PDB file of all heavy atoms in Angstrom:
ATOM      1  N   ALA C 311      -3.803  11.868  -0.688  1.00  0.00           N
ATOM      2  CA  ALA C 311      -4.535  11.415  -1.881  1.00  0.00           C
ATOM      3  C   ALA C 311      -4.867   9.923  -1.790  1.00  0.00           C
ATOM      4  O   ALA C 311      -5.984   9.529  -2.205  1.00  0.00           O
ATOM      5  CB  ALA C 311      -3.685  11.705  -3.095  1.00  0.00           C
ATOM      6  N   ALA C 312      -3.974   9.163  -1.225  1.00  0.00           N
ATOM      7  CA  ALA C 312      -4.210   7.690  -1.112  1.00  0.00           C
ATOM      8  C   ALA C 312      -5.488   7.398  -0.305  1.00  0.00           C
ATOM      9  O   ALA C 312      -6.180   6.408  -0.640  1.00  0.00           O
ATOM     10  CB  ALA C 312      -2.975   6.988  -0.499  1.00  0.00           C
ATOM     11  N   ALA C 313      -5.744   8.186   0.736  1.00  0.00           N
ATOM     12  CA  ALA C 313      -6.950   7.919   1.560  1.00  0.00           C
ATOM     13  C   ALA C 313      -8.270   8.197   0.779  1.00  0.00           C
ATOM     14  O   ALA C 313      -9.186   7.397   0.878  1.00  0.00           O
ATOM     15  CB  ALA C 313      -6.874   8.778   2.847  1.00  0.00           C
ATOM     16  N   TYR C 314      -8.252   9.278   0.017  1.00  0.00           N
ATOM     17  CA  TYR C 314      -9.462   9.560  -0.811  1.00  0.00           C
ATOM     18  C   TYR C 314      -9.679   8.440  -1.835  1.00  0.00           C
ATOM     19  O   TYR C 314     -10.800   8.051  -2.064  1.00  0.00           O
ATOM     20  CB  TYR C 314      -9.280  10.920  -1.466  1.00  0.00           C
ATOM     21  CG  TYR C 314      -9.313  12.098  -0.523  1.00  0.00           C
ATOM     22  CD1 TYR C 314      -8.104  12.654  -0.013  1.00  0.00           C
ATOM     23  CD2 TYR C 314     -10.517  12.705  -0.110  1.00  0.00           C
ATOM     24  CE1 TYR C 314      -8.109  13.671   0.897  1.00  0.00           C
ATOM     25  CE2 TYR C 314     -10.505  13.776   0.805  1.00  0.00           C
ATOM     26  CZ  TYR C 314      -9.299  14.268   1.200  1.00  0.00           C
ATOM     27  OH  TYR C 314      -9.325  15.324   2.138  1.00  0.00           O
ATOM     28  N   ALA C 315      -8.618   8.044  -2.509  1.00  0.00           N
ATOM     29  CA  ALA C 315      -8.756   7.018  -3.539  1.00  0.00           C
ATOM     30  C   ALA C 315      -9.136   5.743  -2.948  1.00  0.00           C
ATOM     31  O   ALA C 315      -9.983   4.965  -3.558  1.00  0.00           O
ATOM     32  CB  ALA C 315      -7.351   6.827  -4.253  1.00  0.00           C
ATOM     33  N   LEU C 316      -8.680   5.362  -1.791  1.00  0.00           N
ATOM     34  CA  LEU C 316      -9.129   4.119  -1.097  1.00  0.00           C
ATOM     35  C   LEU C 316     -10.644   4.242  -0.726  1.00  0.00           C
ATOM     36  O   LEU C 316     -11.315   3.297  -0.793  1.00  0.00           O
ATOM     37  CB  LEU C 316      -8.289   3.812   0.102  1.00  0.00           C
ATOM     38  CG  LEU C 316      -8.639   2.537   0.849  1.00  0.00           C
ATOM     39  CD1 LEU C 316      -8.497   1.363  -0.046  1.00  0.00           C
ATOM     40  CD2 LEU C 316      -7.732   2.338   2.089  1.00  0.00           C
ATOM     41  N   GLY C 317     -11.057   5.408  -0.285  1.00  0.00           N
ATOM     42  CA  GLY C 317     -12.468   5.672  -0.014  1.00  0.00           C
ATOM     43  C   GLY C 317     -13.352   5.403  -1.241  1.00  0.00           C
ATOM     44  O   GLY C 317     -14.373   4.715  -1.162  1.00  0.00           O
ATOM     45  N   ALA C 318     -12.903   5.919  -2.382  1.00  0.00           N
ATOM     46  CA  ALA C 318     -13.656   5.633  -3.604  1.00  0.00           C
ATOM     47  C   ALA C 318     -13.699   4.145  -3.875  1.00  0.00           C
ATOM     48  O   ALA C 318     -14.685   3.526  -4.379  1.00  0.00           O
ATOM     49  CB  ALA C 318     -13.056   6.416  -4.756  1.00  0.00           C
ATOM     50  N   TYR C 319     -12.584   3.468  -3.608  1.00  0.00           N
ATOM     51  CA  TYR C 319     -12.394   1.975  -3.911  1.00  0.00           C
ATOM     52  C   TYR C 319     -13.449   1.267  -2.945  1.00  0.00           C
ATOM     53  O   TYR C 319     -13.888   0.168  -3.330  1.00  0.00           O
ATOM     54  CB  TYR C 319     -10.995   1.662  -3.622  1.00  0.00           C
ATOM     55  CG  TYR C 319     -10.385   0.656  -4.587  1.00  0.00           C
ATOM     56  CD1 TYR C 319     -10.674   0.740  -5.883  1.00  0.00           C
ATOM     57  CD2 TYR C 319      -9.513  -0.310  -4.179  1.00  0.00           C
ATOM     58  CE1 TYR C 319     -10.100  -0.089  -6.868  1.00  0.00           C
ATOM     59  CE2 TYR C 319      -8.875  -1.091  -5.087  1.00  0.00           C
ATOM     60  CZ  TYR C 319      -9.187  -0.993  -6.481  1.00  0.00           C
ATOM     61  OH  TYR C 319      -8.620  -1.849  -7.370  1.00  0.00           O
ATOM     62  N   CYS C 320     -13.653   1.830  -1.746  1.00  0.00           N
ATOM     63  CA  CYS C 320     -14.587   1.061  -0.840  1.00  0.00           C
ATOM     64  C   CYS C 320     -15.930   1.107  -1.423  1.00  0.00           C
ATOM     65  O   CYS C 320     -16.675   0.105  -1.272  1.00  0.00           O
ATOM     66  CB  CYS C 320     -14.534   1.796   0.511  1.00  0.00           C
ATOM     67  SG  CYS C 320     -13.114   1.414   1.534  1.00  0.00           S
ATOM     68  N   TYR C 321     -16.329   2.173  -2.087  1.00  0.00           N
ATOM     69  CA  TYR C 321     -17.703   2.262  -2.664  1.00  0.00           C
ATOM     70  C   TYR C 321     -17.772   1.283  -3.847  1.00  0.00           C
ATOM     71  O   TYR C 321     -18.760   0.741  -4.203  1.00  0.00           O
ATOM     72  CB  TYR C 321     -18.010   3.686  -3.079  1.00  0.00           C
ATOM     73  CG  TYR C 321     -18.418   4.481  -1.834  1.00  0.00           C
ATOM     74  CD1 TYR C 321     -17.552   5.447  -1.341  1.00  0.00           C
ATOM     75  CD2 TYR C 321     -19.576   4.298  -1.218  1.00  0.00           C
ATOM     76  CE1 TYR C 321     -17.860   6.140  -0.218  1.00  0.00           C
ATOM     77  CE2 TYR C 321     -19.961   5.039  -0.085  1.00  0.00           C
ATOM     78  CZ  TYR C 321     -19.114   5.974   0.420  1.00  0.00           C
ATOM     79  OH  TYR C 321     -19.431   6.702   1.525  1.00  0.00           O
ATOM     80  N   LEU C 322     -16.587   1.153  -4.645  1.00  0.00           N
ATOM     81  CA  LEU C 322     -16.578   0.183  -5.684  1.00  0.00           C
ATOM     82  C   LEU C 322     -16.772  -1.218  -5.141  1.00  0.00           C
ATOM     83  O   LEU C 322     -17.493  -2.061  -5.654  1.00  0.00           O
ATOM     84  CB  LEU C 322     -15.230   0.264  -6.436  1.00  0.00           C
ATOM     85  CG  LEU C 322     -15.007  -0.704  -7.556  1.00  0.00           C
ATOM     86  CD1 LEU C 322     -14.146  -0.083  -8.699  1.00  0.00           C
ATOM     87  CD2 LEU C 322     -14.260  -1.999  -7.059  1.00  0.00           C
ATOM     88  N   GLN C 323     -16.130  -1.515  -3.963  1.00  0.00           N
ATOM     89  CA  GLN C 323     -16.296  -2.803  -3.362  1.00  0.00           C
ATOM     90  C   GLN C 323     -17.704  -2.994  -2.961  1.00  0.00           C
ATOM     91  O   GLN C 323     -18.255  -4.111  -3.158  1.00  0.00           O
ATOM     92  CB  GLN C 323     -15.324  -2.885  -2.107  1.00  0.00           C
ATOM     93  CG  GLN C 323     -15.255  -4.252  -1.462  1.00  0.00           C
ATOM     94  CD  GLN C 323     -14.372  -4.325  -0.206  1.00  0.00           C
ATOM     95  OE1 GLN C 323     -14.748  -3.746   0.789  1.00  0.00           O
ATOM     96  NE2 GLN C 323     -13.242  -4.994  -0.289  1.00  0.00           N
ATOM     97  N   ARG C 324     -18.382  -2.027  -2.378  1.00  0.00           N
ATOM     98  CA  ARG C 324     -19.796  -2.174  -2.039  1.00  0.00           C
ATOM     99  C   ARG C 324     -20.626  -2.538  -3.301  1.00  0.00           C
ATOM    100  O   ARG C 324     -21.522  -3.296  -3.181  1.00  0.00           O
ATOM    101  CB  ARG C 324     -20.261  -0.792  -1.521  1.00  0.00           C
ATOM    102  CG  ARG C 324     -19.955  -0.578  -0.039  1.00  0.00           C
ATOM    103  CD  ARG C 324     -20.706   0.736   0.384  1.00  0.00           C
ATOM    104  NE  ARG C 324     -20.465   0.997   1.772  1.00  0.00           N
ATOM    105  CZ  ARG C 324     -21.035   1.954   2.486  1.00  0.00           C
ATOM    106  NH1 ARG C 324     -21.970   2.673   1.883  1.00  0.00           N
ATOM    107  NH2 ARG C 324     -20.770   2.139   3.750  1.00  0.00           N
ATOM    108  N   LYS C 325     -20.274  -1.858  -4.442  1.00  0.00           N
ATOM    109  CA  LYS C 325     -21.044  -2.057  -5.626  1.00  0.00           C
ATOM    110  C   LYS C 325     -20.879  -3.442  -6.081  1.00  0.00           C
ATOM    111  O   LYS C 325     -21.871  -4.232  -6.376  1.00  0.00           O
ATOM    112  CB  LYS C 325     -20.511  -1.123  -6.691  1.00  0.00           C
ATOM    113  CG  LYS C 325     -21.108  -1.289  -8.053  1.00  0.00           C
ATOM    114  CD  LYS C 325     -22.473  -0.739  -8.195  1.00  0.00           C
ATOM    115  CE  LYS C 325     -22.954  -0.780  -9.594  1.00  0.00           C
ATOM    116  NZ  LYS C 325     -24.292  -0.247  -9.726  1.00  0.00           N
ATOM    117  N   ILE C 326     -19.666  -4.048  -6.223  1.00  0.00           N
ATOM    118  CA  ILE C 326     -19.429  -5.344  -6.876  1.00  0.00           C
ATOM    119  C   ILE C 326     -19.867  -6.485  -5.915  1.00  0.00           C
ATOM    120  O   ILE C 326     -20.188  -7.628  -6.394  1.00  0.00           O
ATOM    121  CB  ILE C 326     -18.020  -5.527  -7.379  1.00  0.00           C
ATOM    122  CG1 ILE C 326     -17.004  -5.550  -6.240  1.00  0.00           C
ATOM    123  CG2 ILE C 326     -17.605  -4.439  -8.372  1.00  0.00           C
ATOM    124  CD1 ILE C 326     -15.570  -5.926  -6.681  1.00  0.00           C
ATOM    125  N   PHE C 327     -19.923  -6.157  -4.575  1.00  0.00           N
ATOM    126  CA  PHE C 327     -20.345  -7.251  -3.646  1.00  0.00           C
ATOM    127  C   PHE C 327     -21.805  -7.199  -3.329  1.00  0.00           C
ATOM    128  O   PHE C 327     -22.267  -7.963  -2.486  1.00  0.00           O
ATOM    129  CB  PHE C 327     -19.482  -7.225  -2.418  1.00  0.00           C
ATOM    130  CG  PHE C 327     -18.200  -7.969  -2.628  1.00  0.00           C
ATOM    131  CD1 PHE C 327     -17.025  -7.275  -3.041  1.00  0.00           C
ATOM    132  CD2 PHE C 327     -18.038  -9.300  -2.240  1.00  0.00           C
ATOM    133  CE1 PHE C 327     -15.776  -7.983  -3.188  1.00  0.00           C
ATOM    134  CE2 PHE C 327     -16.857  -9.948  -2.407  1.00  0.00           C
ATOM    135  CZ  PHE C 327     -15.720  -9.300  -2.951  1.00  0.00           C
ATOM    136  N   GLY C 328     -22.545  -6.142  -3.861  1.00  0.00           N
ATOM    137  CA  GLY C 328     -23.957  -6.025  -3.605  1.00  0.00           C
ATOM    138  C   GLY C 328     -24.273  -5.483  -2.278  1.00  0.00           C
ATOM    139  O   GLY C 328     -25.288  -5.835  -1.692  1.00  0.00           O
ATOM    140  N   TRP C 329     -23.429  -4.627  -1.679  1.00  0.00           N
ATOM    141  CA  TRP C 329     -23.686  -4.124  -0.266  1.00  0.00           C
ATOM    142  C   TRP C 329     -24.207  -2.695  -0.338  1.00  0.00           C
ATOM    143  O   TRP C 329     -24.386  -2.099   0.727  1.00  0.00           O
ATOM    144  CB  TRP C 329     -22.386  -4.089   0.553  1.00  0.00           C
ATOM    145  CG  TRP C 329     -21.725  -5.402   0.651  1.00  0.00           C
ATOM    146  CD1 TRP C 329     -22.283  -6.629   0.681  1.00  0.00           C
ATOM    147  CD2 TRP C 329     -20.275  -5.654   0.752  1.00  0.00           C
ATOM    148  NE1 TRP C 329     -21.379  -7.634   0.835  1.00  0.00           N
ATOM    149  CE2 TRP C 329     -20.161  -7.083   0.908  1.00  0.00           C
ATOM    150  CE3 TRP C 329     -19.170  -4.896   0.885  1.00  0.00           C
ATOM    151  CZ2 TRP C 329     -18.918  -7.677   1.064  1.00  0.00           C
ATOM    152  CZ3 TRP C 329     -17.904  -5.475   1.012  1.00  0.00           C
ATOM    153  CH2 TRP C 329     -17.756  -6.833   1.118  1.00  0.00           C
ATOM    154  N   THR C 330     -24.498  -2.156  -1.530  1.00  0.00           N
ATOM    155  CA  THR C 330     -24.950  -0.738  -1.567  1.00  0.00           C
ATOM    156  C   THR C 330     -26.376  -0.642  -0.909  1.00  0.00           C
ATOM    157  O   THR C 330     -27.222  -1.488  -1.161  1.00  0.00           O
ATOM    158  CB  THR C 330     -25.123  -0.354  -3.094  1.00  0.00           C
ATOM    159  OG1 THR C 330     -23.796  -0.399  -3.678  1.00  0.00           O
ATOM    160  CG2 THR C 330     -25.593   1.096  -3.191  1.00  0.00           C
ATOM    161  N   VAL C 331     -26.530   0.420  -0.127  1.00  0.00           N
ATOM    162  CA  VAL C 331     -27.782   0.669   0.520  1.00  0.00           C
ATOM    163  C   VAL C 331     -28.444   1.866  -0.146  1.00  0.00           C
ATOM    164  O   VAL C 331     -29.680   1.790  -0.522  1.00  0.00           O
ATOM    165  CB  VAL C 331     -27.624   0.922   2.041  1.00  0.00           C
ATOM    166  CG1 VAL C 331     -28.881   1.328   2.682  1.00  0.00           C
ATOM    167  CG2 VAL C 331     -26.960  -0.226   2.756  1.00  0.00           C
ATOM    168  N   ASN C 332     -27.712   2.896  -0.414  1.00  0.00           N
ATOM    169  CA  ASN C 332     -28.280   4.199  -0.970  1.00  0.00           C
ATOM    170  C   ASN C 332     -27.476   4.441  -2.231  1.00  0.00           C
ATOM    171  O   ASN C 332     -26.337   4.988  -2.168  1.00  0.00           O
ATOM    172  CB  ASN C 332     -28.189   5.358   0.039  1.00  0.00           C
ATOM    173  CG  ASN C 332     -28.886   6.577  -0.470  1.00  0.00           C
ATOM    174  OD1 ASN C 332     -28.870   6.893  -1.626  1.00  0.00           O
ATOM    175  ND2 ASN C 332     -29.533   7.359   0.414  1.00  0.00           N
ATOM    176  N   VAL C 333     -27.983   4.115  -3.357  1.00  0.00           N
ATOM    177  CA  VAL C 333     -27.267   4.247  -4.580  1.00  0.00           C
ATOM    178  C   VAL C 333     -26.884   5.694  -4.856  1.00  0.00           C
ATOM    179  O   VAL C 333     -25.688   5.965  -5.236  1.00  0.00           O
ATOM    180  CB  VAL C 333     -28.095   3.719  -5.859  1.00  0.00           C
ATOM    181  CG1 VAL C 333     -27.398   3.988  -7.130  1.00  0.00           C
ATOM    182  CG2 VAL C 333     -28.379   2.304  -5.622  1.00  0.00           C
ATOM    183  N   ASP C 334     -27.802   6.609  -4.708  1.00  0.00           N
ATOM    184  CA  ASP C 334     -27.491   8.048  -5.038  1.00  0.00           C
ATOM    185  C   ASP C 334     -26.401   8.590  -4.094  1.00  0.00           C
ATOM    186  O   ASP C 334     -25.434   9.283  -4.535  1.00  0.00           O
ATOM    187  CB  ASP C 334     -28.786   8.877  -4.925  1.00  0.00           C
ATOM    188  CG  ASP C 334     -29.797   8.559  -6.011  1.00  0.00           C
ATOM    189  OD1 ASP C 334     -29.351   8.060  -7.036  1.00  0.00           O
ATOM    190  OD2 ASP C 334     -30.946   8.862  -5.769  1.00  0.00           O
TER     191      ASP C 334
END
Side-chain angles (χ1 to χ4, degrees):
Y314 293 94
L316 181 59
Y319 223 37
C320 284
Y321 284 105
L322 178 145
Q323 188 182 67
R324 281 188 178 186
K325 173 79 174 178
I326 67 173
F327 278 88
W329 301 331
T330 301
V331 176
N332 186 323
V333 174
D334 291 339

